[in-house]
């Protein structure tokens, strides 16, 4: 076809009159030219497919990149490096403030002991676990046996007391998450929205994240989702294994499996997750007594005073309701008339949410890579807003999952991430700033702040599910 054209390495468009041998000859001399001058033509299949391959070979010889790798995978241009520097500066400055504050060594923070979660609760658990058993009679221990791993790990750090070692390890998890998000964003040529969300969101939550072991679990969840995005032969197995380990520490990472695509990927990831989870659980059960005591620990849970289900009771206290709050099952819960009924309603809503997820899986097209992290965020949000407990550290999970969603430009969850970030602001106001007024005094300011936070989470869950459905479920047309 003499009227067809091909793009030569010089960047000029010339008639394609020569045979492929002439084109290959041109390619030999292309190593001194810029790769950006080798532009792939928009051609159909057939003979012109050879032209595309030759053009890719020219780009490869000019830049030493593998054939098929596009210019988007080249090192970041100066403008992207310049965009990274403010991000790195904000991350470093906020962590230089918050980590010493959590360690109680900052000159700008008052003295005193470490956070009670570390100094009393985790330290007490460490003493029991290091003795070879699980804290059977501690009502605050309500976790799968894998939770022993982040509790025992600080004891392996030399030269540091347990509490300080715990916070240092949490800080390392934060740094690892930041590095993975930056690496994934740069590798795909994406914006830095994901590490920005993580950097700012975690800073908004103040020192709380470094005083909980949720950073450890979130790091594993992010690693699993980033590994799954590789789409390699090993990625599904690694995704399933890491997800299982995270779920054996805290149950919620099992929700990452909600968005696996049909066929081989689901079979592989779910099978590996099941085998890994069973093996880890069995290992703890065979070596440490009471490893499965957590299964019965949730039965007596009521309505924690920060959950969505608690909202009517905060107002009811001003209207003559005879109930009150009590320290129960490791948290502050409402006790009194109607509490049991609301607790049952919340459990029914959780079952309904999971039923919706199953229906979505049956109807949806999950082949796009973005679906896995988007579905993980939706499922976790549904779990959080229908739970009888919403602790401040739950926001760490949501931030991590939302950040992974933002690694993809075609995500459906971008506005959801903004709502989660806004909810972080009200979470910090709620705990610890306004918590005493919420618990003891039923102060209207504390109640209004909690309503704002929980309504933001409800809106985020609704919007997340709606956008996930619209972005994955084909529209059925009437014939």
């Amino acid at each position: 076809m003499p009227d067809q054209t091909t793009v030569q390495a010089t960047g000029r468009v010339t008639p394609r009159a020569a045979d492929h041998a002439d084109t290959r000859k041109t390619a030999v001399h292309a190593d001194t030219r810029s790769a950006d001058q080798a532009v792939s033509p928009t051609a159909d299949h057939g003979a012109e497919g050879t032209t595309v391959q030759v053009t890719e070979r020219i780009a490869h010889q000019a830049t030493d990149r593998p054939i098929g790798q596009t210019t988007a995978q080249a090192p970041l241009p100066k403008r992207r490096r310049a965009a990274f520097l403010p991000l790195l500066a904000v991350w470093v400055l906020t962590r230089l403030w918050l980590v010493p504050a959590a360690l109680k060594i900052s000159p700008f923070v008052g003295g005193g002991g470490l956070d009670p979660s570390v100094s009393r609760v985790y330290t007490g658990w460490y003493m029991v676990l290091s003795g070879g058993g699980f804290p059977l009679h501690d009502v605050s221990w309500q976790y799968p046996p894998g939770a022993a791993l982040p509790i025992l790990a600080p004891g392996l750090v030399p030269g540091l007391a347990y509490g300080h070692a715990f916070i240092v390890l949490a800080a390392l998890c934060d740094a690892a998450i930041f590095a993975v998000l930056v690496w994934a964003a740069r590798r795909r040529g994406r914006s830095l929205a994901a590490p920005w969300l993580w950097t700012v969101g975690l800073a908004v939550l103040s020192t709380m994240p470094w005083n909980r072991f949720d950073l450890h679990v979130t790091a594993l969840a992010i690693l699993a989702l980033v590994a799954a995005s590789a789409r390699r032969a090993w990625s599904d197995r690694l995704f399933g294994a890491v997800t299982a380990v995270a779920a054996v520490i805290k149950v919620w990472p099992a929700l990452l499996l909600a968005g696996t695509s049909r066929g081989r990927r689901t079979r592989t990831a779910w099978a590996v997750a099941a085998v890994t989870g069973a093996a880890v659980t069995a290992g703890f059960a065979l070596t440490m007594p009471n490893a499965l005591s957590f299964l019965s620990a949730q039965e007596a849970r009521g309505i924690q005073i920060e959950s969505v289900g608690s909202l009517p009771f905060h107002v009811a206290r001003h209207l003559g309701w005879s109930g009150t709050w009590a320290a129960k099952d490791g948290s502050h819960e409402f006790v009194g008339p109607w509490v049991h009924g609301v607790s049952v309603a919340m459990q029914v809503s959780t079952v309904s949410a999971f039923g919706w997820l199953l229906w979505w899986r049956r109807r949806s097209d999950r082949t796009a890579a973005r679906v896995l992290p988007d579905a993980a965020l939706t499922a976790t949000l549904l779990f959080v807003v229908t739970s009888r407990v919403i602790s401040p550290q739950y926001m760490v999970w949501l931030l991590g999952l939302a950040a992974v969603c933002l690694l993809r430009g075609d995500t459906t969850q971008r506005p959801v991430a903004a709502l989660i970030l806004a909810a972080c602001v009200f979470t910090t106001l709620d705990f610890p700033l306004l918590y005493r007024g919420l618990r003891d005094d039923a102060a209207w300011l504390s109640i209004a702040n909690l309503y704002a936070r929980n309504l933001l989470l409800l809106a985020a869950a609704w919007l997340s599910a709606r956008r996930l459905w619209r972005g994955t479920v084909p529209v059925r047309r009437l014939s």
Side-chain angles (χ1 to χ4, degrees):
M1 299 176 64
D3 57 335
Q4 289 178 328
T5 60
T6 183
V7 180
Q8 300 294 328
T10 58
R12 298 192 302 271
V13 179
T14 60
R16 188 180 171 199
D19 58 13
H20 297 307
D22 294 329
T23 307
R24 295 176 187 273
K25 182 178 180 180
T26 304
V28 173
H29 301 287
D31 55 352
T32 60
R33 300 185 179 97
S34 170
D36 293 335
Q37 290 176 311
V39 182
S40 300
T42 56
D44 295 329
H45 299 289
E48 293 185 292
T50 306
T51 306
V52 176
Q53 295 174 1
V54 171
T55 306
E56 287 184 344
R57 189 178 300 278
I58 294 171
H60 162 62
Q61 292 175 345
T63 62
D64 292 331
R65 291 197 306 271
I67 294 176
Q69 186 173 354
T70 64
T71 56
Q73 294 169 305
L76 287 176
K78 290 184 179 180
R79 67 178 181 274
R80 290 188 61 80
R81 290 195 184 97
F84 170 68
L85 292 179
L87 169 64
L88 180 62
V90 172
W91 185 87
V92 170
L93 291 175
T94 54
R95 274 49 180 182
L96 285 177
W97 169 275
L98 292 168
V99 175
L103 291 168
K104 301 296 184 182
I105 60 176
S106 172
F108 304 101
V109 178
L114 299 178
D115 187 275
S117 295
V118 176
S119 64
R120 292 205 297 266
V121 179
Y122 294 166
T123 301
W125 290 348
Y126 171 77
M127 298 299 293
V128 176
L129 291 168
S130 60
F134 283 86
L136 177 62
H137 300 294
D138 188 341
V139 295
S140 60
W141 178 266
Q142 301 181 356
Y143 305 103
L149 297 175
I151 299 301
L152 289 172
L156 303 176
V157 178
L160 287 177
Y162 177 85
H164 291 87
F166 181 93
I167 294 172
V168 168
L169 289 180
L172 291 177
C173 288
D174 168 41
I177 292 171
F178 176 77
V180 168
L181 291 175
V182 170
W183 172 81
R186 295 177 66 174
R187 182 176 65 91
R188 296 172 182 171
R190 305 293 185 186
S191 73
L192 297 174
W196 266 116
L197 177 68
W198 177 258
T199 299
V200 174
L202 214 67
V204 168
L205 291 174
S206 188
T207 59
M208 180 272 296
W210 291 271
N211 288 308
R212 305 292 190 276
F213 66 88
D214 296 84
L215 270 174
H216 307 67
V217 185
T218 304
L220 291 174
I222 291 174
L223 175 61
L225 291 173
V226 171
S229 68
R231 299 269 181 160
R232 299 291 188 268
W234 48 264
S235 61
D236 295 328
R237 294 189 291 272
L238 181 60
F239 166 70
V242 176
T243 297
V245 173
V248 176
I249 297 175
K250 276 201 167 183
V251 176
W252 70 266
L255 299 171
L256 272 59
L257 298 167
T260 52
S261 58
R262 300 177 187 273
R264 181 189 58 81
R265 299 204 72 188
T266 288
R267 291 193 299 270
T268 301
W270 287 45
V272 171
V275 171
T276 304
V280 175
T281 301
F284 278 107
L286 293 174
T287 58
M288 299 178 67
N290 307 315
L292 303 180
S293 61
F294 76 99
L295 293 174
S296 60
Q298 296 286 337
E299 294 179 356
R301 293 303 295 262
I303 298 296
Q304 190 252 359
I305 65 172
E306 295 171 274
S307 66
V308 171
S310 73
L311 295 180
F313 295 110
H314 286 291
V315 176
R317 294 172 73 182
H318 287 274
L319 301 177
W321 179 60
S322 59
T324 184
W325 68 270
K328 184 174 176 286
D329 299 316
S331 66
H332 296 140
E333 301 178 0
F334 279 120
V335 292
W338 307 105
V339 172
H340 178 71
V342 173
S343 177
V344 172
M346 296 301 292
Q347 295 176 70
V348 171
S349 66
T350 300
V351 174
S352 301
F354 288 145
W356 180 88
L357 283 171
L358 292 176
W359 179 243
W360 168 78
R361 278 187 60 87
R362 181 174 180 177
R363 294 281 307 277
S364 61
D365 177 8
R366 302 187 299 279
T367 55
R370 62 173 168 80
V371 177
L372 184 65
D374 286 7
L377 178 58
T378 300
T380 306
L381 272 167
L382 292 175
F383 169 79
V384 168
V385 298
T386 60
S387 174
R388 291 171 290 176
V389 177
I390 296 183
S391 297
Q393 56 265 32
Y394 289 14
M395 301 305 301
V396 177
W397 318 344
L398 300 177
L399 277 174
L401 296 178
V404 177
C405 291
L406 293 184
L407 288 174
R408 307 202 64 87
D410 57 350
T411 179
T412 62
Q413 303 296 303
R414 198 169 299 275
V416 178
L419 291 176
I420 291 173
L421 183 59
C424 288
V425 176
F426 291 97
T427 298
T428 301
L429 291 175
D430 170 64
F431 183 87
L433 299 179
L434 300 176
Y435 189 76
R436 184 179 297 274
L438 183 73
R439 183 190 62 185
D440 299 335
D441 306 324
W444 283 112
L445 178 60
S446 300
I447 294 173
N449 180 79
L450 181 67
Y451 263 82
R453 196 280 303 273
N454 285 355
L455 290 177
L456 280 170
L457 289 179
L458 284 170
W462 174 82
L463 184 62
S464 179
R466 181 173 179 267
R467 291 178 67 87
L468 180 68
W469 183 278
R470 287 192 168 189
T472 56
V473 177
V475 177
R476 291 186 175 181
R477 301 185 182 276
L478 298 177
S479 56

